[in-house]
Amino acid sequence: MQFTETPPPPLHQNSITPCSNFIMNNNNNQFHRTRPWPGFSTTPTNKALGSVKDANCMEQLLVHCANAIESNDATLAQQILWVLNNTAPPDGDSNQRLTCGFLRALISRAAMTGNCKMLTAAMANTHPNHAIDTHKFSVIELASFIDLTPWHRFGFVAANAAILEAIEGFSVVHIVDLSLTHCMQIPTLIDAIANRPEGPPFIKLTVSSCDADIPPMLDISYEDLGAKLVNFARSRNVAMEFKVIPSSYADGFASLIEHLRVQQLVFTDRNEPEALVINSHMKLHYTPDETLGEIHHHSPYYSMEPSFSSTTSLRSAFLKALRSLNPTIVVLVDEDADFSSTNLVSRLRSAFNFLWIPYDAVDTCIRRGSKQMEWYEADLCWKIENVIAQEDVQRVERLESKSKWVQRMRNANFRGISFSEEAVTEIRHMLDEHAAGWGLKKEDEEDHLVLTWKGHNVVFATAWVPSY
């Protein structure tokens, strides 16, 4: 059976073989089952099961299953889920564990859909611990966890290099840290600032509080985290203040923008120049892309920018509001994938053909079955379930590709700037500390940087200044 008119090229490292469409014609087979699925009395042969264990066939079965769930065909969905249940154990190889994550997410979606709600019983029998148990990290645990791969470190190194260059000559630096990793980038930035030849500036660090539990999660409050960072800065002879602003991605960080505007008005009465640094690390993609009218007709952005209309995208509104603050530099780091489609199958394909990368890469640095592996893959399963099982405002994992973000930034009247050769050299040295397979390349006329795994784009780093 053909699933797409033009199938995407295989991205996985396993050998690719044609996928049998036996699942559609298995009603006459009666064979012993290794992992029983409640309510399903007919099964394919073990030989047939073996033929679907490569990644391409698993993806096609997931697509079949998603279509069956969306069309409310509980019988077909259950048959395909049984096959996936037998070919994708949670302790298998990287592609099997990836597929298992999608299996769980599809069952979660099925549990909310018409006739397919019966599949919750199957879930209880085959995956009794279905609830994703994400870990709350201590600061030390999270710092060590991040150091395992370049996934976050790449963005840290690139951003810090760009920020250090941009703040030269400023005696006061205001850093707005919109980071998924809870300021884990900041200690190395403080170290670099402390060694500045002209002496360190005064640092104002502002973060937004988050009203949702998005992994990775910390086991301490932002206030306690801020106290630790201020003490660390003091130990490096850097004066710093830390402020938490109640603000959420759900409304495009509107209250944070308003706070920054008020702060700018206050600071214009002083003589000393202040650099405004916006550091966004894998967090802006949580901002909804619905229009202001769809989100709320009384969005704070209406009063901030009278030019905004009900058809203005919330993401675009946020970026244009940032531009109105005239920041010294904006650094945007995120994963180079697109999970923004409203079509389930399109999202599934995009997610499957991107998220094999962290599953594949983690096998090089974490022992399978360890607690760290459990924490790492629980966070990935949370992402998969959000992409597949959730819709509307609950679906917050809405990655966009680098090319889309670049266009958004240009539309908001920013221009890209290149990273220095020193930054590129530092990133390459950092990558040498990790497993073979990680790489670095430059893209676009601004020489934006892209982290790669076995030649495939993973994370991009871009730097921007206001365009006049």
Side-chain angles (χ1 to χ4, degrees):
M1 178 173 289
Q2 189 70 32
F3 297 90
T4 59
E5 293 182 2
T6 307
L11 296 179
H12 304 272
Q13 307 310 308
N14 294 15
S15 59
I16 302 299
T17 58
C19 185
S20 168
N21 62 357
F22 69 87
I23 188 64
M24 313 300 280
N25 301 286
N26 64 3
N27 289 335
N28 294 323
N29 295 322
Q30 297 288 336
F31 290 92
H32 176 69
R33 298 193 299 277
T34 56
R35 300 174 70 197
W37 190 269
F40 182 51
S41 59
T42 57
T43 68
T45 65
N46 289 338
K47 180 179 179 181
L49 281 175
S51 72
V52 300
K53 289 184 179 179
D54 71 66
N56 197 43
C57 289
M58 288 180 179
E59 178 189 0
Q60 293 183 21
L61 284 170
L62 290 168
V63 168
H64 261 314
C65 187
N67 280 322
I69 291 170
E70 292 304 275
S71 61
N72 206 22
D73 188 339
T75 300
L76 179 57
Q78 192 172 7
Q79 290 175 343
I80 302 173
L81 287 170
W82 183 89
V83 176
L84 290 167
N85 190 57
N86 278 277
T87 57
D91 57 352
D93 63 28
S94 60
N95 281 325
Q96 289 174 318
R97 301 195 313 274
L98 167 69
T99 303
C100 182
F102 278 85
L103 165 66
R104 294 166 60 110
L106 283 172
I107 293 178
S108 290
R109 189 176 182 94
M112 300 180 283
T113 308
N115 294 334
C116 292
K117 289 181 180 179
M118 61 185 283
L119 295 176
T120 52
M123 189 66 191
N125 278 278
T126 57
H127 291 273
N129 297 318
H130 169 60
I132 297 173
D133 186 17
T134 50
H135 179 66
K136 284 196 172 184
F137 293 87
S138 69
V139 173
I140 293 175
E141 281 177 342
L142 184 56
S144 300
F145 194 70
I146 285 170
D147 283 345
L148 290 171
T149 75
W151 202 278
H152 293 291
R153 292 187 71 197
F154 159 76
F156 292 177
V157 174
N160 285 351
I163 291 168
L164 283 171
E165 188 172 346
I167 65 174
E168 285 183 8
F170 286 92
S171 57
V172 180
V173 177
H174 187 179
I175 302 169
V176 181
D177 193 42
L178 297 174
S179 172
L180 184 68
T181 57
H182 311 293
C183 299
M184 290 298 106
Q185 171 184 338
I186 299 302
T188 53
L189 181 57
I190 290 172
D191 268 335
I193 287 174
N195 295 322
R196 203 170 70 162
E198 67 269 34
F202 176 69
I203 302 295
K204 299 196 300 186
L205 179 60
T206 299
V207 300
S208 68
S209 60
C210 191
D211 53 6
D213 290 332
I214 295 176
M217 295 182 289
L218 274 181
D219 66 353
I220 64 171
S221 69
Y222 266 169
E223 288 75 15
D224 289 341
L225 175 65
K228 291 178 181 294
L229 288 170
V230 169
N231 287 335
F232 176 81
R234 186 180 299 119
S235 73
R236 300 298 191 268
N237 296 316
V238 176
M240 188 177 85
E241 70 175 26
F242 182 89
K243 185 169 291 187
V244 182
I245 303 301
S247 188
S248 171
Y249 57 81
D251 66 356
F253 302 104
S255 57
L256 174 64
I257 293 291
E258 186 60 29
H259 168 80
L260 295 175
R261 288 191 171 186
V262 171
Q263 289 296 299
Q264 280 194 337
L265 290 174
V266 171
F267 202 81
T268 53
D269 294 334
R270 305 179 186 178
N271 294 323
E272 51 189 343
E274 175 177 309
L276 176 60
V277 174
I278 309 297
N279 182 61
S280 174
H281 184 91
M282 300 191 187
K283 199 166 187 178
L284 284 195
H285 70 258
Y286 294 111
T287 304
D289 195 29
E290 282 82 358
T291 65
L292 296 181
E294 290 173 315
I295 295 294
H296 201 294
H297 286 288
H298 301 289
S299 169
Y301 280 109
Y302 283 132
S303 58
M304 292 182 198
E305 299 287 348
S307 61
F308 290 166
S309 70
S310 61
T311 59
T312 302
S313 157
L314 189 59
R315 285 190 183 183
S316 298
F318 172 74
L319 294 177
K320 290 177 180 178
L322 273 189
R323 174 61 183 84
S324 71
L325 296 171
N326 199 31
T328 307
I329 188 171
V330 176
V331 181
L332 174 59
V333 175
D334 217 320
E335 295 163 334
D336 196 3
D338 193 336
F339 299 170
S340 61
S341 175
T342 57
N343 179 271
L344 172 62
V345 170
S346 294
R347 291 203 308 274
L348 188 152
R349 285 192 179 280
S350 294
F352 192 86
N353 283 281
F354 177 72
L355 293 176
W356 71 271
I357 296 173
Y359 276 91
D360 189 48
V362 75
D363 280 347
T364 66
C365 62
I366 305 180
R367 179 177 55 83
R368 196 179 300 181
S370 66
K371 277 293 183 185
Q372 282 190 321
M373 178 73 85
E374 180 183 321
W375 298 342
Y376 183 92
E377 295 196 350
D379 286 3
L380 287 173
C381 283
W382 186 96
K383 181 189 287 278
I384 292 169
E385 183 152 330
N386 189 263
V387 171
I388 299 302
Q390 301 297 330
E391 291 293 352
D392 302 321
V393 294
Q394 286 76 33
R395 182 166 59 82
V396 298
E397 283 289 348
R398 301 192 191 186
L399 291 171
E400 287 188 320
S401 65
K402 177 177 70 67
S403 60
K404 284 189 176 182
W405 280 112
V406 166
Q407 192 58 53
R408 284 186 185 277
M409 294 298 289
R410 290 173 179 165
N411 290 345
N413 205 23
F414 287 99
R415 64 177 177 85
I417 58 174
S418 299
F419 291 88
S420 66
E421 284 306 313
E422 290 80 3
V424 172
T425 299
E426 189 176 354
I427 291 171
R428 293 193 189 282
H429 287 160
M430 180 272 294
L431 294 181
D432 288 341
E433 300 172 10
H434 295 278
W438 296 105
L440 176 68
K441 65 181 181 181
K442 296 181 180 181
E443 290 186 341
D444 301 324
E445 58 267 31
E446 295 96 348
D447 287 337
H448 295 148
L449 302 181
V450 180
L451 175 70
T452 63
W453 173 253
K454 297 181 179 178
H456 300 285
N457 286 14
V458 179
V459 176
F460 65 85
T462 61
W464 304 86
V465 295
S467 179
Y468 296 100

